[in-house]
Amino acid sequence: MAEPRPTEALETVFRLESPRVIAGVARLVRDVGLAEELAQDAVVAALEQWPRDGVPDNPGAWLMATARRRAVDLIRRRENYARKLAEIGRDLPTATAPPEEPADPDDIDDDLLRLVFTACHPVLSAEARIALTLRLLGGLTTPEIARAFLVPEPTVAQRIVRAKRTLATRNVAFEVPYGPDRAARLGSVLEVIYLIFNEGYAATVGDDWLRPALCEDALRLARVLCALMPKEPEVHGLTALLEFQASRTAARTGPDGAPVLLQDQNRRRWNRMLIARGIAALDHAHAHAQTPATTGSGAPGPYVLQAAIAACHATAHTYEETDWPRIATLYGLLAARAPSPVVELNRAVAVSMAEGPAPALLLVDALAAEPALRDYHLLPSVRGDLLRRLGRTAEARAEFARAASLTRNERERELLTRRADDCG
């Protein structure tokens, strides 16, 4: 087999190693935008040298060393410039090497983890956090991110540029937060990974219901975070949740790409290896929840509870064998832990399976006035299903039609329209 050309090897290596290279340089220069530029400079140097000298034995270490060397040169140039200005009487602060990290027993000495917390900083909008995380940590290019979210490339490019500028102008520290701040900031990190996965798992817009590449990127980030923060139960909980959800990917669409509902899925197509990984991650979450670093109590956090719900589905051999009473109980705990109209809607679905559609319809009708669900297509979709099961088909048809009008995903619109027609 022919060895890959230097340019091909460089593309592969940089996609895999760019997060660590950027993180290692950012610790020196304290600016993720500048760190990314220096990492790109290292790539330019590799394009010049690797075709001539061959691919190094450890190409990732070569890129890291080259980028860090350029960062050190930049810092020295800044120091010399500041010193010269001082000599001619300019009263400007001297640019010095970054100070030592504060000593703290909770300190996590990992540049990559610092980059995770910086890219997901709450000072940025959710869209900016997602784009910057996929760029810096996922190794995706701007066109790849734009294609994944079906938005114009200039929009993604502007989000990334503005995000870097915001981090710089707001003087966001390149650090892992300590104590209570870590719990608050970790929530933002987990939210970004979850949002990336969900957009791949059930796309909000476009012609495809699934975008598996986004699910894979989110799952990879979650696994990396587990390795970096092994004692955080919510990190393991999120990873378990994504493992369980990803295990069903192959069964969630038919040959033509149309969505297949959970009750109709061929469970033999579920990925048992991912389910096993999810169970292991959930066990880790429960073990660390006994001495929690994040939640502040022994109570399971929201992601651990969602993972436990997903485990009930993943371990049921058939749809009929699903432990719906346990799922309804878990949703009740989740509603108490992280109140949300969407959680209540999901709880209503579980109640409908555990107790019947009539009590569930009362729960759904109580959500009708929720502003957050006003244009949420799953509210009329769930209500339509409950009405259908109660024999109120004309009302059910109207609800499915309304749900179809609200969704922006073409595949989901076709499914809901078909369900409305079935009620005719």
Side-chain angles (χ1 to χ4, degrees):
M1 181 183 295
E3 292 189 4
R5 292 177 297 176
T7 52
E8 294 175 348
L10 177 59
E11 181 178 348
T12 301
V13 169
F14 189 68
R15 183 177 287 265
L16 293 173
E17 297 292 337
S18 63
R20 296 187 182 279
V21 174
I22 294 170
V25 175
R27 182 165 59 86
L28 296 176
V29 299
R30 303 288 169 168
D31 184 321
V32 293
L34 181 56
E36 188 181 19
E37 292 177 13
L38 292 168
Q40 294 289 350
D41 287 346
V43 172
V44 172
L47 285 172
E48 295 172 351
Q49 295 186 37
W50 290 12
R52 182 186 68 234
D53 303 333
V55 178
D57 293 335
N58 190 335
W62 190 98
L63 288 173
M64 177 70 83
T66 302
R68 287 173 67 89
R69 187 161 53 245
R70 290 171 183 258
V72 171
D73 289 343
L74 177 64
I75 292 171
R76 286 173 176 165
R77 286 199 300 272
R78 286 176 172 177
E79 289 178 343
N80 290 335
Y81 178 67
R83 190 178 301 114
K84 290 177 181 177
L85 289 178
E87 289 173 357
I88 61 175
R90 297 288 185 90
D91 187 19
L92 292 177
T94 303
T96 60
E100 292 294 323
E101 292 294 321
D104 188 282
D106 273 343
D107 187 31
I108 301 175
D109 188 18
D110 194 293
D111 294 337
L112 190 57
L113 190 57
R114 292 186 177 94
L115 184 60
V116 170
F117 275 93
T118 303
C120 299
H121 198 284
V123 74
L124 304 175
S125 69
E127 294 82 5
R129 279 180 272 159
I130 289 171
L132 193 61
T133 299
L134 287 174
R135 175 67 171 268
L136 298 181
L137 293 156
L140 274 66
T141 63
T142 299
E144 287 172 334
I145 299 171
R147 283 197 300 271
F149 284 90
L150 302 181
V151 294
E153 286 184 33
T155 300
V156 173
Q158 289 172 4
R159 287 176 184 172
I160 293 172
V161 169
R162 288 172 183 166
K164 294 175 184 175
R165 185 184 303 129
T166 299
L167 293 174
T169 56
R170 299 288 289 272
N171 294 318
V172 171
F174 185 71
E175 64 182 10
V176 176
Y178 300 112
D181 289 343
R182 180 179 298 174
R185 291 273 299 281
L186 180 59
S188 175
V189 174
L190 299 180
E191 179 192 23
V192 167
I193 296 175
Y194 193 38
L195 288 172
I196 293 170
F197 183 89
N198 278 346
E199 185 58 32
Y201 192 71
T204 53
V205 296
D207 297 329
D208 297 319
W209 199 37
L210 288 176
R211 296 185 195 137
L214 274 179
C215 292
E216 292 167 6
D217 285 327
L219 189 50
R220 178 164 52 85
L221 289 172
R223 290 170 179 168
V224 168
L225 198 59
C226 270
L228 297 176
M229 306 186 75
K231 296 182 180 180
E232 291 287 351
E234 279 289 81
V235 172
H236 290 290
L238 175 63
T239 305
L241 174 61
L242 302 194
E243 300 278 11
F244 288 133
Q245 300 291 70
S247 73
R248 303 204 296 261
T249 299
R252 293 186 72 238
T253 53
D256 59 349
V260 178
L261 298 176
L262 179 62
Q263 60 264 36
D264 300 323
Q265 289 175 16
N266 180 356
R267 300 192 175 212
R268 287 177 295 180
R269 299 190 68 196
W270 288 5
N271 189 316
R272 295 297 159 185
M273 183 189 72
L274 293 180
I275 291 174
R277 293 186 67 134
I279 292 171
L282 185 56
D283 288 343
H284 280 295
H286 285 311
H288 289 297
Q290 303 305 315
T291 54
T294 300
T295 60
S297 70
Y303 289 111
V304 174
L305 288 170
Q306 290 180 75
I309 293 168
C312 291
H313 292 294
T315 55
H317 296 295
T318 65
Y319 185 74
E320 292 72 23
E321 292 178 22
T322 305
D323 190 349
W324 290 107
R326 173 168 170 74
I327 292 176
T329 299
L330 288 169
Y331 268 121
L333 294 174
L334 181 60
R337 190 77 172 81
S340 148
V342 174
V343 171
E344 285 295 332
L345 182 62
N346 288 329
R347 186 170 76 89
V349 173
V351 167
S352 78
M353 300 304 298
E355 303 176 22
L361 185 59
L362 295 176
L363 296 175
V364 171
D365 287 345
L367 297 171
E370 285 285 348
L373 299 182
R374 183 176 55 191
D375 297 322
Y376 188 52
H377 68 284
L378 291 183
L379 177 62
S381 174
V382 169
R383 192 169 189 276
D385 185 64
L386 297 176
L387 291 168
R388 179 190 59 80
R389 290 167 58 189
L390 289 168
R392 296 159 59 177
T393 53
E395 295 172 82
R397 178 171 184 168
E399 291 294 330
F400 284 131
R402 179 168 178 266
S405 71
L406 290 175
T407 183
R408 293 185 294 158
N409 183 278
E410 189 58 36
R411 289 293 190 179
E412 200 163 22
R413 182 179 295 111
E414 292 171 359
L415 171 66
L416 291 166
T417 301
R418 189 163 61 250
R419 298 198 74 188
D421 292 341
D422 289 343
C423 292

